[in-house]
Amino acid sequence: MSVFSQRDFADHEQVVFVSDDKSGLKAIIAVHNSNLGPALGGCRMWPYASEEEAIRDVLRLSRGMTYKSAMANLKLGGGKSVIIGNPRTQKTPELLAAFARALEQLNGRYIAAEDSGTSVADMKYMAQFTRHVAGIVDKPAADGTRSGDPSPATAYGTFIGIQAAVKERLGRDSLEGLRVALQGVGNVGFDLARQLKEAGASLWVTDIHRDSLTRAAKELDATVVAPDEIFGLDVDVFAPCALGAILNDTTIPQLKASIVAGAANNQLAEARHGLELMKRGILYAPDYVINAGGIIDVYHERIGFDRAALLKHIEGIRENLMEVFERAREEERPTGEVADTIAEERFRR
Ligand code: NAD
């Protein structure tokens, strides 16, 4: 099977195939670029239908991590790993140990963190066999200690990013009276909604879990709408915090918001949808720029956790977005394209 000729191959430095007979492990680790530092990225476990699909995913996701970390000014490169299998039925301690030993052999060129199908607990277990896992340290927080979960940092960064987008598009410093529609009130979405509420915004929310909606309505006075109603609301900001590929041919024509800014990964179904948003006068905060709080949090865990330094770094998302918005305006280009250019300038420097 070829890797070099795959559409998603983008001069990746290293792609490693790992297998272990005894545990049934089959995994792929991809280091896209390590110019700025060791490649850090999630370890995903998923029952891929084919090896090709797993390769495509690991190539695409590892490249994305290079851009995200470079944009966030982290001394990290981009990497990702995928374990082929069903996390509910095939994830055993033996399999995780075998994978961890493979990581150890890479000598820190790639550092794994939790992702879909793996958990902080899995990473903590793997840390018995390798030094090269991240997002496992219990940290001090405003309300006591918390686990390696990066969601609060992601939510805070997204909040800062919405402030930047509101300043750019609406010329306002305050969020008082801002109308925001959130798709998904899970770990990140709920915390983001809470901060928006505290800043004086009015909220509309949707989710597929009734409990999350009940909580948002009760605690944040949010108006609950059906999943397919969230796009067409007469609001200022649409904040996707659930799924990828949510900005597409069906949803974009429905949008009345003049800003799209949320935490979900890979929001544009295709790159051309970025242009579509621009043509309609909708300001899009590129997903990997605004949702970098989580990776910044993981990075600070590695360099010695200092809460003030972490918050300052997350608040840098404001300057990053302002730079993207300004260049996009001057060059009349979609914000996502401009973000890629800036990230490339940073990691190729
Ligand atoms: P989560 O699973 O806790 O929350 C997602 C929520 O979206 C859930 O409540 C789920 O029920 C809801 N949802 C799923 N499908 C939906 C649909 N069709 N319509 C409405 N709601 C739907 O996940 P999370 O950790 O809060 O992450 C949210 C998004 O942010 C994801 O795209 C994730 O990749 C991205 N992200 C998260 C982090 C992090 O630190 N957790 C970092 C970067 C990016």
Side-chain angles (χ1 to χ4, degrees):
M1 184 191 316
S2 85
V3 171
F4 294 146
S5 57
Q6 288 264 344
R7 194 159 50 95
D8 293 299
F9 181 77
D11 293 326
H12 286 68
E13 290 176 10
Q14 195 174 15
V15 181
V16 180
F17 291 76
V18 183
S19 77
D20 175 67
D21 252 9
K22 274 203 198 112
S23 63
L25 173 71
K26 290 229 163 1
I28 312 170
I29 301 167
V31 173
H32 172 250
N33 186 287
S34 62
N35 285 355
L36 296 175
L40 192 146
C43 166
R44 180 168 285 193
M45 183 160 185
W46 190 255
Y48 291 100
S50 67
E51 277 172 45
E52 283 82 358
E53 201 187 296
I55 292 173
R56 266 205 310 277
D57 219 24
V58 80
L59 290 177
R60 191 175 56 82
L61 296 169
S62 57
R63 177 176 180 273
M65 289 308 297
T66 302
Y67 284 73
K68 183 184 263 197
S69 288
M71 178 53 97
N73 292 309
L74 302 174
K75 293 192 185 80
L76 291 175
K80 200 88 182 185
S81 54
V82 295
I83 299 176
I84 301 171
N86 185 332
R88 284 169 196 263
T89 54
Q90 289 170 286
K91 192 167 69 182
T92 59
E94 294 72 31
L95 180 133
L96 291 174
F99 183 70
R101 282 192 286 268
L103 289 186
E104 188 57 26
Q105 283 171 3
L106 283 177
N107 242 331
R109 272 183 63 69
Y110 167 68
I111 301 157
E114 62 150 334
D115 204 277
S116 318
T118 64
S119 63
V120 171
D122 294 335
M123 294 302 129
K124 286 186 174 174
Y125 177 74
M126 279 163 47
Q128 295 175 64
F129 309 95
T130 177
R131 291 159 294 165
H132 309 304
V133 288
I136 53 172
V137 177
D138 292 340
K139 309 178 184 95
D143 52 354
T145 58
R146 61 181 174 87
S147 73
D149 175 18
S151 305
T154 304
Y156 181 52
T158 307
F159 175 73
I160 295 288
I162 289 178
Q163 283 180 325
V166 166
K167 175 76 180 166
E168 167 73 15
R169 188 67 179 74
L170 306 175
R172 291 170 42 179
D173 290 310
S174 161
L175 302 189
E176 189 69 46
L178 190 79
R179 293 162 304 165
V180 185
L182 291 110
Q183 183 188 41
V185 274
N187 287 325
V188 176
F190 188 87
D191 205 26
L192 170 64
R194 185 186 50 73
Q195 293 173 64
L196 289 167
K197 177 74 189 169
E198 283 168 12
S202 306
L203 308 175
W204 283 259
V205 295
T206 193
D207 203 292
I208 48 171
H209 280 139
R210 186 121 290 278
D211 293 354
S212 312
L213 291 173
T214 311
R215 188 173 162 221
K218 204 167 138 212
E219 294 181 24
L220 307 175
D221 198 22
T223 305
V224 171
V225 302
D228 58 351
E229 281 173 353
I230 198 76
F231 310 106
L233 296 174
D234 188 12
V235 292
D236 302 301
V237 179
F238 171 54
C241 296
L243 316 161
I246 202 61
L247 300 170
N248 54 46
D249 293 336
T250 312
T251 60
I252 291 176
Q254 299 178 51
L255 293 177
K256 294 199 183 82
S258 58
I259 294 169
V260 174
N265 278 315
N266 305 316
Q267 292 172 30
L268 299 171
E270 293 171 44
R272 68 182 170 87
H273 293 113
L275 184 61
E276 197 50 46
L277 290 169
M278 186 178 101
K279 281 189 192 154
R280 290 168 185 263
I282 299 172
L283 181 69
Y284 168 60
D287 44 21
Y288 70 83
V289 187
I290 192 170
N291 75 14
I295 185 89
I296 295 172
D297 184 270
V298 170
Y299 175 74
H300 276 261
E301 174 185 313
R302 293 186 61 76
I303 59 170
F305 192 76
D306 170 347
R307 192 168 156 75
L310 168 69
L311 293 181
K312 188 156 176 277
H313 202 149
I314 294 175
E315 285 156 12
I317 288 175
R318 187 192 330 267
E319 279 70 49
N320 285 329
L321 277 174
M322 285 305 192
E323 187 177 344
V324 170
F325 294 154
E326 200 179 310
R327 269 175 74 166
R329 208 182 330 111
E330 283 167 3
E331 298 169 17
E332 293 177 31
R333 289 167 66 204
T335 50
E337 247 183 66
V338 170
D340 286 357
T341 305
I342 296 173
E344 281 162 13
E345 286 165 4
R346 293 184 185 174
F347 76 79
R348 293 200 176 128
R349 196 156 46 197

